[in-house]
Each structure stands twice: as structure tokens, then as C-alpha cells.
């Protein structure tokens, strides 16, 4: 069953899901989706590129020599400077994102990252390198928060979950390019073996700077600024292929406008809104936990310190390590895209719970095999450890990669969406900062036993997801705006205003059947 959950009684969602015309046969929508990749969906390539810049650079002799063979806490701060910069920049994101628009926020973040990348590539010493990575980290969440909002708010409802899921999958494109670059430059016997990949990290940001203003602005942002005609033109062009008489777009405009009015009536658009009601406090709790889980589920060990992990099981050859790492990134891209493409077929809770219990099983298997190898030098156990590292990718991608931004956009209403994703980014980057500093110390101090810590923590994550995560599939963003509130009162108020003020609250069966016939 497509969607895997209870079917919504929301007329807009039903009309979108029943639309028989695929997106590639809609010229305007198709062109927008193709532009979304370099402008927005590719933003996460910078995160993937960064993880492999550090992971792969640590395998390069020239990088080790230049920075004095970093280990322990020193190695940790070189990796964690980026999330530290992100944490510093996060409180100010809504000021740009909600006041100047999604596109300008992406532009601002991308320009900051280009500056940081340039400094990183020409660093003269470790402090300069650390500061450069912090500058990149400062700019990155501006682009991520605005980009994820823009995808969710521009996409046609039928394709929205897939597009927001592909957003995170692009992480692995950046990771593959970075791993491939460092593998290709490892034979350069000077500093350019790591400077070239470091400079190439600006490539995704350059794409965003060049293409972002070819995209339309978010219609929800435009309506929130009383630019109703501009918002209507965006929806008519991309959701109705220029048909101004489309019943679907009329209903969509009415629902967005009324929902925004209700949201803004109950919101002061400040950080205090995030704890004002029980519903918002639960959203903040879920967003915060999701930020922690995406970085503390064992993925940072593989993303940033794979070389240390491979040494534990006897694989010390730098050439093997870089090849294995590159293969793992390619495999992760396959898993990430596959998970994004099936997101419409299963309920959100089903994917989260299946993914987290799979991660737990992988970590237990990996820990046991690593322990057996260290105790008995069993080569079979070492090879099984290699298998478990690869098995981690489909498990992680099924939940935390494919669903993260899809879920965040669904649980946070428009008025608090930028702040909600910023809170997720805060806890995610804080967890990444913690992990990148603690992981090298932990593996150095207690070796394979450090993996046991993750086994216990992942079990806690599974329990929290089981009890706290609500189901959000098969509903429009406007319908989900009242997910935790008094649904009956607010939903009835929404529908009443749509009907009385705009006259499109309900469509009869005949209109529902023919509403898409004249769109293309």
C-alpha cells in the first residue's frame, strides 16, 4: 500500500495523490525539480565532503606530517571545529531565513562556506586550519535549514517526501567525491595532496551561489509577508502548470493562507514559541533527540575515524583503507537513494523502528567480531567486521538519513519550522562535536570495548523512538500543523475558514475526479 498509513481525509492531499500525471510530464514542475538538485538538494554534499576530507586526510602521509601526526584530543579538535562553528551560528538562522527568505539564507550560508574553504585550502598551521573549518561550519546550517524548508515548501505534495529524503542522500555524493579526490592525490608527495581536496570542498557552495536565484521563493514565505499574488503565481506555475483555474491550486492557496493565519495568531515568531505549549515542547523534544540520534548512533565512528577502526582489526595499509572507504561511500549512496525512493511506501514509525533495531543488531555483531579478532587474531572475525561496517549503511539510511528532514518538515509548522530545524541542527552539531572529540580518545583508551558504549546507547534510542515518535505519513503540511494541538478545535477552525472565507473547503466527487485533467 502506497504510503503505508491511514489515508488522509484532507482534500488537497487526496487530490495530489490521485493525480495520474507523473512529474516528468509536467514541464514547469520538471524544470524546477532539476534546478533543485544543484541549488538545494546538493547542499548536504558539503557535509559529506567534510566528513571524508577529515577521514581520508588522516590517511595521507603529507597531512599527518604537516599537522604533527595528530592523535587523541588534537585529532578530535581538527575534526570537530566544523560542528563547533555550526553551533555558534545556529541562533541567528531564523533572523535571515524568516525575514529575507529561503533563497537569501542559502546564499548567505554558501558565501560563508566559500570563504572558509578558501582559508582551509591555504592554511599555514593547525590554528588557521581549525578556524577555517569553524567558518565553514558557521555557514553550513544556514544553507541546510533554508534548503530543507524550501524543498518541503516548493515540492508538489505527491513528491515532497521523496525530495526531502533525497536531500540527506546527497551527503554521500560529497563523501564519494572527497574520498575519490584524496585517493587520487595520495601519490602527490607534498602538501597539495590534502590542499586540493580541501579547496574542492567549495564546489557545492559555488553551485548554490550560481543557481539559487533561478528557483522561485517559497510560497508559504511569500504569503507570510503578504505577497499573495507572488505566491499564487508560484503555485499556479509549478503545481498547476500555468492553469489559473485549477481547483487544486485554489484549494491549496486557501489552506496555506488560512493555516498561516491561525499559526501566526498563536505565535509571536520568537524562540519563546518553542516552549509555549505542550505540543511545541514535544516537537522540540523530538527534534532535539533526532539531532542527537543522527550523530550518536555510531555513524561518526565510521565517517570520521574509519582508519582507527580498521587498525583495530589489523588493516593498516593506507591504500586498502582509502579503497575500502571509497567503496563504503559508494555503497552508502546506493542505500541512501534507495531508502529515499521507498519512503512513500511505508509508515514513518515503521521505517524508524526497523532502522534503529537494525543499527543495534549491526553494532552488536560488529562489536563481537572485533572482540574475537583482538582476542584470538581470527582473520575470519576481521572479515566479518568489514561486512558489519558495510551493513551499517542500509540500516542507518533507512531511518536517520532518508527520514530526517522529511520528518522535521512534517512535525514543525511553518511559523516555527526554521527554529525547529535550527534546534535539530544545534543538537546534531553538538553531538557531532562531542563525538569527534570523544571517539578518538575512547578508541585509544579502551579499544574495541568503546563499541559497547554505542550498543547500550542505541538501545536507549530505540526505546525513545518507540514511545515518542508520532506517525506523520499521508498528510499535508497544513494538516500536520495541528499534529500535537487540540486537533478537533483547530482543524475545525481551519476548515471553517477555508469554506466560509475562500469557498473551497470541499470539492465534490466529480470535481475531484477531473481536477487534474486540464493541468497539462
Amino acid at each position: 500500500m502506497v504510503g503505508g498509513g491511514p489515508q488522509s481525509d484532507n482534500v488537497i492531499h487526496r487530490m495530489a495523490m490521485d493525480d495520474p500525471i507523473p512529474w516528468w510530464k509536467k514541464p514547469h514542475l520538471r524544470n524546477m525539480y532539476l534546478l533543485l538538485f544543484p541549488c538545494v538538494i546538493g547542499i548536504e554534499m558539503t557535509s559529506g565532503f567534510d566528513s571524508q576530507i577529515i577521514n581520508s586526510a588522516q590517511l595521507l602521509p603529507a597531512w599527518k606530517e604537516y599537522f604533527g601526526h595528530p592523535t587523541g584530543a588534537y585529532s578530535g579538535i581538527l575534526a570537530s571545529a566544523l560542528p563547533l562553528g555550526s553551533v555558534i551560528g545556529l541562533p541567528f538562522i531564523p533572523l535571515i531565513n524568516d525575514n529575507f527568505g529561503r533563497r537569501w539564507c542559502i546564499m548567505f550560508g554558501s558565501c560563508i562556506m566559500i570563504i572558509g574553504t578558501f582559508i582551509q585550502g591555504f592554511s599555514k598551521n593547525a590554528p588557521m586550519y581549525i578556524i577555517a573549518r569553524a567558518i565553514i561550519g558557521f555557514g553550513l546550517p544556514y544553507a541546510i535549514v533554508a534548503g530543507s524548508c524550501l524543498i518541503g515548501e516548493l515540492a508538489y505534495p505527491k513528491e515532497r517526501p521523496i525530495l526531502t529524503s533525497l536531500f540527506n542522500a546527497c551527503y554521500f555524493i560529497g563523501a564519494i567525491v572527497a574520498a575519490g579526490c584524496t585517493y587520487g592525490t595520495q601519490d602527490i608527495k607534498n602538501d597539495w595532496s590534502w590542499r586540493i581536496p580541501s579547496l574542492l570542498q567549495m564546489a557545492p557552495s559555488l553551485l548554490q551561489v550560481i543557481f539559487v536565484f533561478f528557483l522561485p521563493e517559497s510560497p508559504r514565505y511569500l504569503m507570510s509577508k503578504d505577497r499573495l499574488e507572488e505566491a499564487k503565481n508560484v503555485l499556479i506555475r509549478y503545481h498547476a502548470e500555468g492553469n489559473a483555474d485549477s481547483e487544486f491550486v485554489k484549494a491549496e492557496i486557501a489552506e496555506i493562507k488560512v493555516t498561516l493565519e491561525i499559526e501566526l495568531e498563536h505565535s509571536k515568531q520568537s524562540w519563546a514559541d518553542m516552549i509555549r505549549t505542550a505540543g511545541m515542547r514535544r516537537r522540540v523534544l523530538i527534534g532535539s533527540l533526532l539531532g542527537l540520534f543522527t550523530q550518536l548512533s555510531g555513524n561518526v565512528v565510521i565517517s570520521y575515524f574509519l582508519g582507527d577502526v580498521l587498525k583495530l582489526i589489523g588493516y593498516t595499509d593506507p591504500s586498502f583503507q582509502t579503497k575500502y572507504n571509497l567503496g563504503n561511500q559508494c555503497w552508502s549512496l546506493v542505500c541512501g537513494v534507495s531508502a529515499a525512493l521507498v519512503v512513500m511506501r511505508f509508515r514513518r514509525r515503521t521505517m524508524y523502528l526497523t532502522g534503529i533495531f537494525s543499527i543495534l543488531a549491526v553494532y552488536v555483531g560488529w562489536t563481537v567480531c572485533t572482540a574475537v579478532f583482538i582476542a584470538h587474531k581470527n582473520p575470519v572475525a576481521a572479515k566479518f567486521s568489514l561486512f558489519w561496517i558495510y551493513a551499517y549503511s542500509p540500516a542507518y539510511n533507512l531511518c536517520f538519513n532518508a527520514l530526517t528532514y522529511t520528518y522535521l518538515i512534517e512535525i514543525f509548522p511553518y511559523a516555527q519550522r526554521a527554529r525547529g530545524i535550527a534546534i535539530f541542527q544545534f543538537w546534531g552539531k553538538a553531538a557531532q562535536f562531542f563525538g569527534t572529540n570523544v571517539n578518538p580518545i575512547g578508541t585509544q583508551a579502551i579499544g574495541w570495548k568503546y563499541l559497547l558504549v554505542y550498543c547500550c546507547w542505541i538501545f536507549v534510542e530505540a526505546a525513545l523512538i518507540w514511545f515518542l515518535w508520532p506517525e506523520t505519513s499521508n498528510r499535508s503540511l497544513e494538516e500536520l500543523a495541528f499534529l500535537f494541538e487540540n486537533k478537533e478545535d483547530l482543524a475545525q477552525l481551519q476548515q471553517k475558514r477555508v469554506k466560509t472565507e475562500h469557498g473551497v473547503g470541499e470539492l465534490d466527487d466529480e470535481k475531484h475526479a477531473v481536477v487534474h485533467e486540464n493541468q497539462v
Side-chain angles (χ1 to χ4, degrees):
M1 179 176 65
V2 176
Q7 293 301 307
S8 170
D9 60 359
N10 180 275
V11 65
I12 295 173
H13 180 81
R14 285 190 289 114
M15 290 165 65
M17 297 306 295
D18 292 344
D19 184 356
I21 304 168
W23 64 268
W24 59 85
K25 292 186 178 181
K26 301 177 180 180
H28 295 310
L29 189 64
R30 180 180 67 235
N31 291 340
M32 183 182 73
Y33 285 172
L34 292 176
L35 269 176
L36 276 174
F37 177 77
C39 299
V40 180
I41 296 178
I43 288 171
E44 273 290 354
M45 288 191 291
T46 301
S47 298
F49 207 108
D50 182 77
S51 72
Q52 290 312 301
I53 282 293
I54 290 298
N55 199 6
S56 301
Q58 292 180 79
L59 307 177
L60 297 174
W63 187 89
K64 294 178 184 177
E65 184 69 27
Y66 195 87
F67 292 107
H69 297 273
T71 58
Y74 179 33
S75 174
I77 192 61
L78 287 172
S80 64
L82 186 141
L84 177 62
S86 296
V87 169
I88 294 170
L90 283 167
F92 311 106
I93 292 174
L95 297 177
I96 297 178
N97 196 44
D98 290 341
N99 290 314
F100 296 97
R102 304 339 192 182
R103 296 181 302 174
W104 275 111
C105 194
I106 293 172
M107 175 65 78
F108 175 78
S110 299
C111 290
I112 295 293
M113 286 188 282
I114 290 171
I115 294 169
T117 304
F118 188 82
I119 298 172
Q120 176 182 255
F122 291 100
S123 294
K124 297 297 184 183
N125 48 47
M128 187 174 177
Y129 189 80
I130 291 168
I131 291 170
R133 290 180 50 71
I135 293 172
I136 298 170
F138 184 92
L140 180 60
Y142 285 85
I144 289 177
V145 172
S148 57
C149 289
L150 189 60
I151 294 170
E153 292 164 6
L154 277 179
Y156 190 65
K158 190 174 184 179
E159 291 90 33
R160 174 178 50 79
I162 295 175
L163 290 173
T164 49
S165 297
L166 285 172
F167 181 74
N168 243 6
C170 285
Y171 172 99
F172 298 111
I173 296 176
I176 290 168
V177 173
C181 286
T182 50
Y183 179 71
T185 61
Q186 66 178 339
D187 293 330
I188 300 175
K189 304 303 181 183
N190 56 50
D191 296 341
W192 286 102
S193 63
W194 62 267
R195 291 188 189 277
I196 291 173
S198 295
L199 289 169
L200 287 175
Q201 190 171 352
M202 72 172 69
S205 299
L206 285 173
L207 287 175
Q208 289 138 34
V209 168
I210 293 169
F211 289 107
V212 70
F213 285 106
F214 287 98
L215 275 177
E217 184 54 88
S218 161
R220 289 169 176 82
Y221 165 78
L222 293 172
M223 286 193 192
S224 73
K225 300 300 180 184
D226 295 322
R227 294 159 63 181
L228 185 59
E229 286 304 312
E230 292 178 62
K232 285 181 179 179
N233 291 337
V234 170
L235 292 171
I236 289 169
R237 179 176 177 82
Y238 295 104
H239 288 192
E241 291 299 307
N243 179 12
D245 296 323
S246 166
E247 295 291 344
F248 174 79
V249 167
K250 288 179 181 178
E252 192 176 27
I253 291 170
E255 186 179 48
I256 293 172
K257 187 174 185 296
V258 168
T259 304
L260 283 174
E261 288 173 356
I262 296 172
E263 283 185 37
L264 295 175
E265 282 177 10
H266 295 83
S267 168
K268 296 181 180 179
Q269 288 195 287
S270 69
W271 284 104
D273 287 339
M274 308 309 291
I275 57 172
R276 196 180 307 279
T277 66
M280 284 309 304
R281 289 192 291 272
R282 184 172 175 186
R283 288 184 175 95
V284 168
L285 176 61
I286 293 171
S288 301
L289 290 174
L290 191 53
L292 292 175
F293 295 174
T294 54
Q295 298 298 330
L296 292 182
S297 297
N299 51 309
V300 172
V301 176
I302 298 172
S303 296
Y304 284 85
F305 303 103
L306 183 60
D308 293 340
V309 169
L310 293 176
K311 287 177 184 176
L312 285 176
I313 53 176
Y315 293 97
T316 58
D317 177 41
S319 179
F320 172 82
Q321 290 179 349
T322 52
K323 290 177 183 176
Y324 181 82
N325 180 46
L326 179 57
N328 189 38
Q329 300 311 316
C330 294
W331 167 238
S332 296
L333 176 62
V334 172
C335 295
V337 172
S338 299
L341 294 178
V342 302
V343 73
M344 292 292 291
R345 296 186 175 275
F346 302 98
R347 292 165 64 97
R348 307 288 188 258
R349 278 180 56 86
T350 300
M351 291 184 70
Y352 267 118
L353 291 170
T354 302
I356 193 63
F357 281 115
S358 298
I359 289 172
L360 179 60
V362 166
Y363 247 84
V364 170
W366 181 15
T367 303
V368 170
C369 290
T370 303
V372 169
F373 171 80
I374 292 173
H376 305 289
K377 301 302 177 185
N378 187 327
V380 176
K383 288 182 171 59
F384 266 106
S385 293
L386 295 178
F387 162 77
W388 287 120
I389 293 172
Y390 268 50
Y392 180 87
S393 184
Y396 182 86
N397 277 284
L398 186 63
C399 52
F400 294 130
N401 195 287
L403 289 180
T404 295
Y405 289 101
T406 300
Y407 203 65
L408 288 168
I409 289 167
E410 289 174 346
I411 65 171
F412 284 104
Y414 172 83
Q416 289 84 29
R417 188 165 293 142
R419 289 179 175 81
I421 298 177
I423 287 171
F424 158 80
Q425 282 285 317
F426 173 85
W427 288 104
K429 296 305 181 185
Q432 186 182 355
F433 178 81
F434 173 83
T436 48
N437 279 283
V438 172
N439 286 332
I441 298 172
T443 54
Q444 191 176 42
I446 58 177
W448 71 268
K449 296 182 181 68
Y450 187 65
L451 299 178
L452 287 172
V453 176
Y454 276 107
C455 292
C456 297
W457 171 247
I458 293 166
F459 178 80
V460 173
E461 290 183 357
L464 290 170
I465 290 173
W466 179 279
F467 288 109
L468 291 177
W469 264 226
E471 185 54 57
T472 61
S473 58
N474 286 315
R475 301 178 193 177
S476 70
L477 292 182
E478 279 61 49
E479 193 178 4
L480 287 165
F482 312 124
L483 182 63
F484 297 117
E485 280 69 29
N486 188 328
K487 298 178 186 177
E488 290 188 6
D489 291 347
L490 288 174
Q492 285 177 7
L493 176 61
Q494 179 200 44
Q495 291 301 317
K496 182 178 179 181
R497 287 196 187 179
V498 171
K499 292 175 188 177
T500 59
E501 296 181 22
H502 302 277
V504 291
E506 295 178 342
L507 297 178
D508 57 41
D509 293 337
E510 183 178 352
K511 278 187 178 179
H512 186 192
V514 303
V515 68
H516 296 288
E517 289 184 7
N518 296 322
Q519 283 191 14
V520 176

